[in-house]
Amino acid sequence: TSVTWTLLLFVYFNFSEENQSFKNVPIKGLEPQRPFPKKFYPRFTRGPIHVPELQQKENKIGNSLGNHIQDPVKGEIEFSPEMGMIFNEEDQEVRDLGYQKHAFNMLISNRLGYHREVPDTRDAKCREKSYPADLPSASVVICFYNEALSALLRTVHSVLDRTPPQLLHEIILVDDNSELADLKKDLGDYVKTQLPKTTKLVRNEKREGLIRGRMIGASHATGKVLVFLDSHCEVNEMWLQPLLTPIREDRRTVVCPVIDIISADTLTYSSSPVVRGGFNWGLHFKWDLVPLSELEGPEGATAPIKSPTMAGGLFAMDREYFNELGQYDSGMDIWGGENLEISFRIWMCGGRLLIIPCSRVGHIFRKRRPYGSPGGQDTMAHNSLRLAHVWMDEYKEQYFALRPELRMRNYGNITDRVELRKRLNCKSFKWYLDNIYPEMQISGPNAKAPQPVFINRAQKRPKVIQRGRLYHLQTNKCLVAQGHPSQKGGLVVVRECDYNDQNQVWIYNEDHELILNNLLCLDVSETRSSDPPRLMKCHGSGGSQQWTFGKNNRLYQVSVGQCLKVVDPLSHKGYVTVAICDGSLPQQWHFES
Ligand code: UD2
Ligand code: MN
């Protein structure tokens, strides 16, 4: 038990620290949703990764732009860190176009195809659970705008592959007036000829945004329960049963799976810690560690957790209850804010919102949103204003204190929503804060008594695998910083090796990062792979800072799919770059301890 207590205390301290530190986080405008801060991650260890040499044959599968609808044989391509290897210009084009249009690695997405196994990330105890036989059936609604076809179809097939047919009433795809040619044509053909009749495609005449888009999807649904998913997800084993069970018990329960992380750069699927939803006064969603009071009980790690808010994209809800509760605010545009609005509404109007640790769905977390709104407006601010005015009572002042420029901004007509709140007899926002989110810090306009300050904890660091010199075989030189190794954004070059110089010492760790002199990480630009590598602050989320040592002494950059190379081995300048891996001498490196 003492171990358990230590663990719980650790969780608690971290939780409090998060609340303390968020005060200083600047509120940015249109910020895409990020995965959890690093300290939330359990170190997810996988067995040894098998690294097959990618064959040109495999490379052809589905990776040409006109050749998407060719379903690679399941399991033909095993995942490897070198999955994004670039062999030719066409690969480069697919990769670059993917980052530009979708902000993730479309080359890897295409190579993975429409089916793949994902690691079962559930707690072991989840596997022992059983669920009622008479669960309600679900309509899965997936709304998309300009999605990469391979990611969309992998979402659909993951649902078809891992849902018992009797529980899957239908899948409704809502095309939010996408412009991409393959979505306009190939997708329609594919749905007609390759998917069961229960998969339907609905097309919006004009771009509506994800909020009205989901309402349109829901209006076509006839299943008992609505399940919403983003268009770049992969559902895990037994994902649906644990979601349907609490809804069957109480129709006013809304449930979310744990959102696992699919890396935007490598498409690796990895486990998320069980966290719950919160928000800050800038009305941005954030993840919180689960407070002690929620972790008690016999079911331990597998028990549903009450969550003050939802992330937005992935949840299940009784369909009639969705309608009764007022669906969404149809005055909200494109993206943002609807997740807080529905969360407040659920809690304040007599429902509850739970996260179900035994249900897991992976989602590609991108570093930026690849699309704008048709008129270029900040829809997040527009939508947040609407929700603040309808639901937050005097606490909307907390928002205006941070965003004074929005006080006078027009947010359209909210009469219907105000009436809805009255009709449903919803509680006050103060009740919500006191009872559902007591951890929320309130300073300024509606201040509470100050909260105690908690101890800061050091973040866990990835384990060092090797420490030494990065030696270039052809030139007999070592990789070093061009300027000072502590200079952010500095280039690296090869120079005469000096075995007494700390500034030439690299660390290679279990996260595949290369860190010079224990300071900065070797990093590449994800969108412009022609840029030379630079030393940057270690961000800990892989991708642009992930390097592997492979065949022919190559040093492979996972995110750009290319190898580190000395540009001109005869020049004293020693410039390096990344280029298509060809096994040639300029691309050969040794890590020397
Ligand atoms: C998160 C949610 C997302 C939504 C958003 C706030 C998760 C995993 N994702 O942002 O579901 O709640 O916060 O609004 O919780 N889309 C359209 N039309 C548009 C724009 C987007 O159909 O005009 C689709 C898009 O293709 C995607 C979904 O809506 O399938 C969500 O958009 P996103 O993935 O850009 O949002 P995300 O994950 O950053
Ligand atoms: Mn998304």
Side-chain angles (χ1 to χ4, degrees):
T1 43
S2 80
V3 177
T4 324
W5 270 108
T6 323
L7 267 174
L8 290 175
L9 279 173
F10 176 75
V11 166
Y12 189 64
F13 279 133
N14 267 289
F15 169 74
S16 319
E17 179 203 318
E18 170 65 15
N19 264 345
Q20 290 295 320
S21 59
F22 112 76
K23 270 191 302 204
N24 306 323
V25 176
I27 307 297
K28 298 190 197 99
L30 265 176
E31 170 132 302
Q33 191 155 342
R34 298 299 306 271
F36 325 95
K38 179 141 192 194
K39 66 177 173 193
F40 285 152
Y41 292 85
R43 203 149 280 295
F44 183 66
T45 41
R46 305 195 296 165
I49 304 168
H50 176 57
V51 187
E53 191 60 25
L54 283 171
Q55 301 292 309
Q56 287 291 1
K57 174 178 80 69
E58 296 173 33
N59 181 40
K60 287 225 178 63
I61 295 169
N63 78 344
S64 81
L65 291 171
N67 184 27
H68 281 306
I69 303 285
Q70 182 191 337
D71 198 1
V73 184
K74 189 172 177 178
E76 185 177 345
I77 302 171
E78 221 169 311
F79 181 80
S80 91
E82 299 193 353
M83 193 84 197
M85 176 88 66
I86 282 167
F87 292 102
N88 50 41
E89 272 171 30
E90 196 180 305
D91 292 344
Q92 187 73 61
E93 230 172 84
V94 177
R95 187 190 173 283
D96 293 350
L97 192 83
Y99 269 98
Q100 203 188 86
K101 289 214 156 42
H102 310 292
F104 61 79
N105 195 320
M106 180 166 81
L107 179 64
I108 298 184
S109 179
N110 291 355
R111 284 175 178 171
L112 284 172
Y114 307 150
H115 305 261
R116 75 158 159 168
E117 306 282 325
V118 294
D120 184 347
T121 50
R122 294 171 300 161
D123 187 288
K125 282 194 236 62
C126 295
R127 274 163 241 158
E128 292 155 22
K129 291 206 163 198
S130 58
Y131 299 95
D134 58 339
L135 287 169
S137 71
S139 295
V140 176
V141 176
I142 302 168
C143 187
F144 63 93
Y145 171 68
N146 282 357
E147 185 58 86
L149 188 59
S150 54
L152 173 64
L153 287 178
R154 208 164 37 252
T155 310
V156 172
H157 279 294
S158 79
V159 172
L160 292 169
D161 291 345
R162 287 191 274 269
T163 312
Q166 73 277 13
L167 297 184
L168 186 62
H169 185 75
E170 63 195 342
I171 299 178
I172 296 174
L173 302 172
V174 183
D175 179 353
D176 194 12
N177 201 229
S178 300
E179 288 116 28
L180 298 181
D182 53 357
L183 292 175
K184 281 182 138 80
K185 182 172 182 306
D186 304 355
L187 177 65
D189 296 347
Y190 190 87
V191 171
K192 249 188 251 140
T193 62
Q194 307 295 315
L195 296 177
K197 292 274 165 301
T198 48
T199 304
K200 292 155 200 161
L201 178 59
V202 178
R203 288 204 150 109
N204 292 345
E205 295 278 299
K206 63 173 183 31
R207 174 101 176 273
E208 299 286 355
L210 72 93
I211 298 142
R212 288 191 294 276
R214 282 186 198 152
M215 293 168 76
I216 292 167
S219 75
H220 284 86
T222 53
K224 181 92 179 68
V225 170
L226 293 168
V227 180
F228 296 98
L229 295 178
D230 274 10
S231 48
H232 33 257
C233 290
E234 285 168 72
V235 304
N236 210 314
E237 291 303 318
M238 281 284 275
W239 70 290
L240 187 59
Q241 294 89 325
L243 295 179
L244 297 176
T245 303
I247 296 177
R248 174 180 168 274
E249 281 160 23
D250 170 8
R251 63 188 287 275
R252 295 195 297 182
T253 298
V254 180
V255 290
C256 304
V258 173
I259 310 178
D260 281 338
I261 300 145
I262 304 175
S263 158
D265 299 316
T266 62
L267 278 281
T268 345
Y269 186 111
S270 57
S271 176
S272 279
V274 177
V275 285
R276 57 175 210 168
F279 67 96
N280 63 29
W281 288 120
L283 300 185
H284 288 263
F285 172 85
K286 71 183 182 82
W287 297 105
D288 290 334
L289 281 170
V290 180
L292 274 180
S293 56
E294 280 288 317
L295 289 172
E296 289 157 356
E299 282 182 284
T302 66
I305 292 159
K306 284 196 211 119
S307 184
T309 69
M310 66 162 88
L314 288 46
F315 68 99
M317 185 169 184
D318 182 277
R319 183 167 56 83
E320 275 163 23
Y321 182 51
F322 176 75
N323 291 331
E324 270 166 48
L325 201 68
Q327 304 177 349
Y328 276 120
D329 175 356
S330 61
M332 288 189 174
D333 298 324
I334 305 298
W335 185 98
E338 94 295 342
N339 52 332
L340 297 190
E341 193 266 348
I342 198 170
S343 305
F344 297 164
R345 187 152 43 91
I346 290 166
W347 282 116
M348 289 165 66
C349 312
R352 57 186 189 143
L353 178 59
L354 305 178
I355 288 172
I356 311 296
C358 289
S359 170
R360 294 195 166 247
V361 177
H363 168 261
I364 302 180
F365 285 93
R366 312 182 261 216
K367 290 181 198 73
R368 69 181 173 90
R369 206 144 358 99
Y371 52 82
S373 65
Q377 316 89 331
D378 176 355
T379 62
M380 173 84 182
H382 171 83
N383 298 348
S384 299
L385 271 175
R386 291 182 66 88
L387 90 89
H389 282 287
V390 176
W391 297 101
M392 288 173 65
D393 306 327
E394 69 270 28
Y395 291 89
K396 60 173 174 268
E397 288 306 320
Q398 304 288 140
Y399 180 50
F400 289 130
L402 291 169
R403 304 289 303 271
E405 79 282 8
L406 294 180
R407 207 180 272 279
M408 292 313 187
R409 170 92 70 94
N410 172 30
Y411 50 85
N413 187 333
I414 55 167
T415 328
D416 286 356
R417 302 307 283 181
V418 173
E419 262 165 28
L420 173 79
R421 181 173 168 180
K422 271 200 215 114
R423 190 169 74 243
L424 295 174
N425 213 355
C426 308
K427 297 195 177 77
S428 69
F429 198 70
K430 180 168 191 326
W431 173 88
Y432 169 86
L433 288 175
D434 289 346
N435 294 279
I436 309 302
Y437 201 24
E439 297 80 11
M440 182 59 154
Q441 308 274 307
I442 305 168
S443 58
N446 305 287
K448 279 200 292 198
Q451 306 273 313
V453 177
F454 294 94
I455 310 155
N456 256 353
R457 288 254 167 172
Q459 199 172 300
K460 197 178 156 198
R461 290 194 163 232
K463 214 165 66 215
V464 173
I465 293 175
Q466 222 178 339
R467 192 186 302 266
R469 310 257 169 336
L470 259 175
Y471 177 73
H472 186 248
L473 289 151
Q474 188 184 16
T475 56
N476 297 320
K477 288 179 178 171
C478 284
L479 191 71
V480 301
Q482 187 184 37
H484 196 271
S486 67
Q487 189 199 327
K488 263 185 228 143
L491 293 174
V492 287
V493 291
V494 288
R495 294 240 175 88
E496 294 309 322
C497 300
D498 175 352
Y499 288 90
N500 296 314
D501 186 357
Q502 273 306 304
N503 289 343
Q504 297 197 354
V505 176
W506 292 86
I507 285 172
Y508 188 56
N509 66 25
E510 61 177 343
D511 284 354
H512 304 287
E513 292 163 334
L514 280 170
I515 309 171
L516 182 57
N517 196 12
N518 217 354
L519 294 166
L520 297 173
C521 275
L522 192 61
D523 188 295
V524 287
S525 160
E526 283 158 351
T527 37
R528 285 186 303 165
S529 41
S530 51
D531 282 8
R534 290 173 187 279
L535 292 165
M536 302 298 276
K537 199 175 162 210
C538 302
H539 53 51
S541 48
S544 69
Q545 297 185 348
Q546 245 179 312
W547 301 82
T548 60
F549 293 89
K551 236 181 82 177
N552 299 327
N553 297 316
R554 70 186 170 211
L555 179 44
Y556 176 77
Q557 211 303 313
V558 173
S559 165
V560 295
Q562 300 184 350
C563 285
L564 190 72
K565 138 183 199 185
V566 171
V567 179
D568 178 3
L570 296 176
S571 149
H572 67 279
K573 292 201 176 102
Y575 289 140
V576 298
T577 185
V578 284
I580 290 183
C581 305
D582 57 13
S584 65
L585 275 171
Q587 298 192 1
Q588 300 200 12
W589 303 84
H590 261 180
F591 200 107
E592 295 187 339
S593 300

